[in-house]
Amino acid sequence: MSPRDAAPVGRETFVRARVERGGFALDVELRTEARVAVLFGPSGSGKTTLFEVLLGLHAGSRPTVRLAGRWLDDPERRLSTRVEARGLGWVPQEPMLFPHLDVAGNLRFGGPRAGSGGARALADAIEVLELGPLLARRVDQLSGGERSRVALGRALASGPQALLLDEPLASLDLALRARVLPYLLRVRDHLDLPIFYITHDPDEAQLVGEWVAVLDRGRVVACGEPRAVLWSRAVLPLSESLGLENVIEARVTACADGAARVATPSGVELSVPAPAPLAEGEPVRLGLPARDVLLAAEAPGRISARNVLAARVVAVEPAEGGALVHVDAGLPLVARLTHEAVRALELAPGRPVYCVIKAHSLRRLA
């Protein structure tokens, strides 16, 4: 059965496109029903060009596009939907707010596109992004993080059928990313809206996405569940060059003397540094490099590392210069070891081991 004959699905996306521009060629075919689909890859890999296809800016290339359950482009049906009729909310890397309008004016700008649902779309955007206190402010009175929230709110206020986010955190420093990311997650969790998210940050891809397509030089290298894809052998060299880490989500259970205890949803407890006080119950997202996950065949005795977790080996995969050892320690982790260490510990699927993790190897992500 061809994609064209499939039964309508509210979130189904199918894209087949070939775009040639200068010396670059994008040649992709993708299908997903994920609520949050991430396009991941280095600069120049074709992510933004693919967004332009979704937006209808490369209609001359005759793409096939089914987005959020609607056919937008179909050469066989001679269908090519105009850009303004696609019902898409687009947030570029730079917020591009209208400087002559206050925040309320910027948010209302997209209202006519929302039709009869405009008032509701505007109210939802203000509530989810907590924009009420900013409505009367001029654009030049906003911080970088506030500008990003207003740009996202303007897109939501247009009542889109899908949201396209083009590296919305790329222009922000780490502190501002930490302020804006929770709002992106609120949009993901509280609004029933398909989201397509461009990033070259593997941590963002794992935190935000349900599904990821990895692009490199205009081609799809791999696609699927973010953690599995980004740690796969086909993608690993690319992912590691961009900073791939284990990503752990947890909540603070205690904090004192520059250290905190956190617990994951599965009940695993970890000790992490806390140079600034953390409130009990506060959510934290942690990054842990694979090279900083040490494995022991026996439970270590007195040791300075604050985190020792009983685990079991799930898989051992060859990687450049060594191996990736996937373990289940109550949460999934990946350790990067030398071939010699794998042989000495006799690591194989099912073998019990202990993960040894120094507290300072765990860093808070934005």
Side-chain angles (χ1 to χ4, degrees), residues 67-332:
L67 186 59
R70 294 187 305 140
W71 287 108
L72 300 181
D73 296 297
D74 188 342
E76 292 188 15
R77 294 178 179 177
R78 298 183 180 179
L79 173 64
S80 181
T81 307
R82 301 187 318 275
V83 175
E84 65 273 16
R86 292 187 169 229
L88 303 178
W90 174 50
V91 181
Q93 291 183 28
E94 295 295 333
M96 295 196 301
L97 302 178
F98 300 112
H100 64 291
L101 299 177
D102 59 13
V103 169
N106 271 275
L107 293 176
R108 286 196 297 266
F109 185 83
R113 290 178 53 195
S116 59
R120 180 62 184 173
L122 177 61
D124 285 345
I126 292 172
E127 178 184 358
V128 172
L129 296 172
E130 297 181 351
L131 296 173
L134 306 180
L135 293 177
R137 286 202 204 168
R138 300 194 314 269
V139 169
D140 60 6
Q141 295 175 320
L142 301 176
S143 69
E146 289 168 342
R147 290 169 63 89
S148 294
R149 283 161 55 198
V150 173
L152 180 56
R154 183 175 60 186
L156 292 174
S158 69
Q161 297 196 33
L163 196 61
L164 308 185
L165 306 181
D166 188 353
E167 300 204 58
L169 305 181
S171 63
L172 304 179
D173 62 27
L174 188 62
L176 288 179
R177 288 188 185 198
R179 296 177 190 173
V180 176
L181 181 59
Y183 290 100
L184 289 175
L185 298 179
R186 288 186 70 179
V187 170
R188 179 195 69 182
D189 296 338
H190 293 285
L191 300 180
D192 187 20
L193 190 66
I195 297 173
F196 296 86
Y197 191 101
I198 283 180
T199 185
H200 61 265
D201 185 324
D203 294 338
E204 275 183 44
Q206 293 178 84
L207 284 170
V208 177
E210 297 176 352
W211 179 91
V212 62
V214 180
L215 275 69
D216 188 26
R217 289 173 288 187
R219 302 294 190 273
V220 177
V221 178
C223 56
E225 189 274 325
R227 187 177 180 279
V229 167
L230 295 176
W231 284 108
S232 67
R233 237 186 302 178
V235 176
L236 187 65
L238 182 63
S239 297
E240 286 199 317
S241 71
L242 294 172
L244 178 63
E245 298 179 297
N246 291 285
V247 174
I248 302 168
E249 299 204 46
R251 287 189 178 273
V252 176
T253 57
C255 184
D257 300 326
R261 295 290 294 176
V262 303
T264 70
S266 61
V268 175
E269 293 194 351
L270 296 166
S271 178
V272 302
L278 298 173
E280 185 174 341
E282 180 178 347
V284 291
R285 298 175 178 89
L286 305 169
L288 173 63
R291 65 178 180 275
D292 288 347
V293 180
L294 307 182
L295 299 185
E298 301 174 353
R302 299 175 66 183
I303 188 172
S304 63
R306 296 295 84 198
N307 302 295
V308 178
L309 308 176
R312 188 170 297 275
V313 175
V314 175
V316 180
E317 294 183 335
E320 185 177 357
L324 295 178
V325 182
H326 299 252
V327 302
D328 179 0
L331 72 162

